[in-house]
């Protein structure tokens, strides 16, 4: 039986990943500092004899014996990663270094949850992996974007210098059950606002776009990447190419939730990327992966989850 470490395992994507790995017969160690993760996300897994939870911060070294590492530890919502920018930087740099240390010592495979934010305010649409990005290294998003870029460099240099078996995935906006209701990201904000019949807060004029991937599709992509036999290390984009403006998303969520909410326009945050859309041809070719959940059905499942939690 393979022992798999999932850092950030009590978070939104991490909790779904832990559940799926258990289903597939792995022994799962879920490591989390519970900054944005919660016990609630993993409560259904507690009691499973192949599941172990550790409260730990990846900035601190740790010695574990594992076969695979999925490194997801890092707050993902702009509100949370900007709360303590230095901590965010340390998580993606010192934390990444610590996880690579385990991978090197144990000869474990390691997958890093990188992000479309490495492309910054992209000048190329859709974004292929070959695009180097347009990131402001001094702006409010830099602690996250530059941290994740350094993490990618760490991964690739450990591969070259120490032959560590790495996997790099660049995640585009992902949503679904287990997002925290106060997370600050657009889908959770809009659904909570719609269910409470409060105005939906659209930042800017609503013309900014994102492409949203349902969490089950993302987890499937992670596992395919970790287990691909060709030793394809990436980076590979994982996301749903269905692009939508934030204003159109707001209207869709109001309709699907059967809400009487209105739309309220607010100031656009600094450096907010204007368009984001993944080119997933590499994932299709190398992993035979593409998302299968259309936005509308994913939103319905997410709305049902928030109805229950609110
Ligand atoms: P999340 O905030 O729900 O999960 C992150 C988890 O990491 C939380 O449980 C948090 O408590 C934990 N964590 C944070 N810092 C830690 C530290 N120093 N030590 C240990 N645990 C720590 O976010 P998510 O959406 O589940 O994102 C998971 C990963 O995927 C992140 O690395 C994020 O950057 C990446 N990602 C997510 C998206 C998305 O749209 N959800 C997009 C791009 C990249
Ligand atoms: N956004 C919005 N209202 C909200 C939250 C976010 O209009 O209540 C916008 C935000 O400005 C951005 C998009 O939605 O253009 C996605 O934001 P999110 O924080 O979810 O993710 P990211 O910017 O990291 O893609």
């Amino acid at each position: 039986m393979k022992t798999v470490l999932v850092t950030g395992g009590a978070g939104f994507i991490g909790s779904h990943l832990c559940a799926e790995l258990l289903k597939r017969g792995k022994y799962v160690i879920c490591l989390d500092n519970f900054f944005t993760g919660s016990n609630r996300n993993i409560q259904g897994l507690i009691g499973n004899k192949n599941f172990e939870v550790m409260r730990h911060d990846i900035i601190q070294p740790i010695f574990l014996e594992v076969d695979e590492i999925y490194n997801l530890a890092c707050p993902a919502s702009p509100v949370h990663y900007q709360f303590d920018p230095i901590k965010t930087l340390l998580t993606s740099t010192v934390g990444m270094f610590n996880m690579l240390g385990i991978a090197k010592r144990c000869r474990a495979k390691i997958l890093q949850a990188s992000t479309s934010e490495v492309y910054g305010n992209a000048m190329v649409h859709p974004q292929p992996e070959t695009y180097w990005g347009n990131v402001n290294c001094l702006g409010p998003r830099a602690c996250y974007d530059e941290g994740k870029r350094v993490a990618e460099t760490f991964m690739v240099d450990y591969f070259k210098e120490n032959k560590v078996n790495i996997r790099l995935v660049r995640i585009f906006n992902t949503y679904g059950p287990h997002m925290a209701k106060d997370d600050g990201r657009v889908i959770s904000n809009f659904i909570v606002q719609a269910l409470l019949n409060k105005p939906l807060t659209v930042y800017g004029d609503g013309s900014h776009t994102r492409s949203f991937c349902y969490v089950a599709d993302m987890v499937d992509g992670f596992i395919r990447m970790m287990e691909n036999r060709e030793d394809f290390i990436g980076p590979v984009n994982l996301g749903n190419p269905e692009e939508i403006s934030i204003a159109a998303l707001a209207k869709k969520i109001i309709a699907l939730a059967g809400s009487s909410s209105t739309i309220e326009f607010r100031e656009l945050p600094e450096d907010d990327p204007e368009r984001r859309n993944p080119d997933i041809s590499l994932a299709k070719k190398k992993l035979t992966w593409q998302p299968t959940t259309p936005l509308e059905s994913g939103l319905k499942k997410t709305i049902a989850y928030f109805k229950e939690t609110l």
Side-chain angles (χ1 to χ4, degrees):
M1 182 183 264
K2 273 196 179 141
T3 301
V4 184
L5 172 65
V6 179
T7 76
F12 156 50
I13 305 179
S15 56
H16 290 276
L17 177 63
C18 289
E20 188 57 34
L21 290 168
L22 286 168
K23 254 194 234 163
R24 295 182 188 215
K26 315 282 185 198
Y27 186 91
V28 176
I29 303 175
C30 163
L31 182 155
D32 207 294
N33 70 352
F34 292 92
F35 174 46
T36 52
S38 75
N39 272 323
R40 190 181 191 282
N41 288 344
I42 47 170
Q43 71 188 10
L45 310 180
I46 308 279
N48 184 320
K49 66 179 188 342
N50 296 326
F51 186 65
E52 195 178 319
V53 185
M54 295 183 72
R55 180 181 286 267
H56 179 82
D57 195 306
I58 62 162
I59 292 174
Q60 305 302 330
I62 185 166
F63 288 86
L64 293 167
E65 307 303 321
V66 298
D67 301 298
E68 291 177 352
I69 304 166
Y70 289 85
N71 187 38
L72 273 66
C74 184
S77 155
V79 175
H80 289 133
Y81 69 64
Q82 289 170 27
F83 172 73
D84 186 348
I86 295 171
K87 172 87 182 188
T88 302
L89 264 173
L90 290 172
T91 297
S92 288
T93 52
V94 177
M96 180 84 259
F97 171 72
N98 287 332
M99 295 307 107
L100 279 160
I102 300 179
K104 183 181 169 191
R105 184 175 47 80
C106 300
R107 295 183 200 283
K109 254 193 248 178
I110 179 165
L111 177 144
Q112 165 64 358
S114 190
T115 166
S116 53
E117 285 282 325
V118 299
Y119 303 124
N121 191 14
M123 297 289 139
V124 173
H125 300 285
Q127 292 87 54
E129 291 83 354
T130 47
Y131 178 53
W132 287 1
N134 176 37
V135 174
N136 173 5
C137 70
L138 303 175
R141 299 175 87 97
C143 58
Y144 183 75
D145 300 8
E146 298 292 9
K148 290 282 188 177
R149 285 167 72 99
V150 171
E152 287 202 8
T153 311
F154 254 132
M155 287 278 284
V156 166
D157 285 335
Y158 265 75
F159 170 72
K160 290 183 196 156
E161 208 173 308
N162 297 316
K163 310 277 179 291
V164 170
N165 198 345
I166 64 158
R167 299 286 188 271
L168 260 177
V169 297
R170 290 184 180 154
I171 306 164
F172 283 66
N173 296 65
T174 301
Y175 70 100
H178 296 184
M179 291 183 93
K181 63 179 190 309
D182 55 355
D183 181 86
R185 281 180 278 188
V186 68
I187 292 209
S188 43
N189 270 8
F190 283 1
I191 293 179
V192 171
Q193 290 161 345
L195 290 176
L196 298 175
N197 292 310
K198 289 187 173 164
L200 269 62
T201 51
V202 170
Y203 303 158
D205 63 4
S207 63
H208 279 205
T209 71
R210 292 294 185 270
S211 310
F212 296 99
C213 184
Y214 189 63
V215 63
D217 287 327
M218 187 55 62
V219 164
D220 177 45
F222 281 14
I223 296 175
R224 278 175 199 246
M225 184 58 177
M226 181 64 103
E227 295 184 352
N228 85 77
R229 285 167 198 273
E230 272 185 58
D231 283 341
F232 164 59
I233 63 166
V236 65
N237 288 338
L238 295 180
N240 191 327
E242 202 181 329
E243 189 175 0
I244 185 169
S245 75
I246 298 303
L249 175 74
K251 286 183 197 145
K252 201 183 258 296
I253 289 178
I254 290 174
L256 289 173
S259 165
S260 60
S261 291
T262 53
I263 290 177
E264 198 174 278
F265 292 93
R266 299 258 179 99
E267 201 183 328
L268 190 67
E270 195 183 333
D271 288 348
D272 195 292
E274 286 158 45
R275 284 186 67 188
R276 191 178 287 150
N277 187 229
D279 176 340
I280 58 162
S281 26
L282 193 62
K284 281 183 181 164
K285 186 170 155 218
K286 293 285 193 183
L287 309 174
T288 3
W289 177 88
Q290 64 180 329
T292 57
T293 315
L295 181 59
E296 202 155 307
S297 50
L299 284 177
K300 281 184 189 158
K301 289 184 196 167
T302 314
I303 290 169
Y305 167 78
F306 276 106
K307 256 188 193 160
E308 205 184 294
T309 33
L310 292 173

